[in-house]
Amino acid sequence: MSDFAERARQALEHSGYSITAAARALNYDRAFLSRVLSRKQQPSLRLARMLDDLTESGGALYRLGAKQSSPDQSPEPPVPVLSLPGLAPDPDLNDRITRTMERPRHHVDASVAEWLHRCLAEHRKAEDTIGAGPVIAVVRAQLSSVSALTRNASGPLADQLTSLVAQYAQFVAWMCNDLGDKAAALGWYDRAHDWAMEAGDASMAATALSMKAHLAWSVGNPSRTVRLSEAARWHEGRITPGVQGMATQMTARGHALGGDASATLAALDTAERLIRRAAEHPEDEPSWMYFYGETWLAGQRGMIMLDLVERTGRDASQAIAPLELFLNQLPASYVRDRAWYGACLARAHSAAGDLDAASQTARTFAPDAVRLNRYAADDLRTLHGLLSRRMSSDPGIRELGEVLQCA
């Protein structure tokens, strides 16, 4: 009897599908499909059913795939996901998700939309710990799945899914920037803003503008940082205090980058008032603001004051104190962010003239910076160059240099 791979290739050829065309029609990974059709990997039951439907094989391919699948084979996730606790759907939901993804032109189940929201939330939290590298491809595949569903949804569910795809685009943009691809980040932020406006989601539209301000800050453009973050607040009255506070602290970042101390401090004070208001009703904030609160704003204050210290010569303790407070309170699971703020603290100690503290702090955070945060690692390399000139015989400086060379 012919094996599954041979029968599937024949059925696709008879139906006029190349491997690429079949993968596109099924919204399926082409590389995986190619491995199955070249006998390098066993077919999953889901793929066997999808190919059977696509080629109208009347169940023959599905039955053949069932015979060749391992008896203990776990069902393939209906949407690409990382192996994260709590994401595996129960059998009923798994069937709903599978049917929705295989036939996106049919009715979209609200429970599927809810599960996709949960997928995004859990992958955001995973990225806090393991960085963007292992997450971005999976999330982009999820975005494609959600985008396909928006084309056929209607009514309130259409707005819900369009808002969700905007949230996915904003997260993809964040990860692109984290990986150093600023052009892609800008493109995805633009798409996130467009989708948010289409869905009437003012909070995500404002967040996308705030994140574009962050992108401008990351390339050293103070005026664009201020303008974009102020534009994010044009939605006031329709966005939450937390989203307003995030935009306002970005305004403070822009002013600090430009060396305007009075405007910086005024914006920081306003941001703190807004964040305190948000803390009174955290249930009203959108899901992507899960990390943002008074503790997080302390870290922002430290980083913003560091910009002022380096540009205006202010007392470096104004940056050191909030950075130390923040790092003492930030959970250990935020590995990537701890690396960034740790690098900021090392720079602040250097600005204060405490080179020993700068060296020790840099050595503490350098391994995670090299592994997960390219911007923190770059800052620590710059700091290492300065410390090497002033402390050339210190063995700690040589140790720091060795760690930073591991990237």
Side-chain angles (χ1 to χ4, degrees), residues 81-93:
V81 294
L82 296 179
S83 180
L84 300 173
L87 271 189
D90 60 42
D92 177 66
L93 179 56

Side-chain angles (χ1 to χ4, degrees), residues 7 11 48-49 51-64:
R7 286 285 296 276
R49 182 171 63 238
L51 285 170
D52 192 282
D53 289 345
L54 181 67
T55 59
E56 299 180 356
S57 295
L61 275 180
Y62 178 75
R63 290 190 293 272
L64 191 54

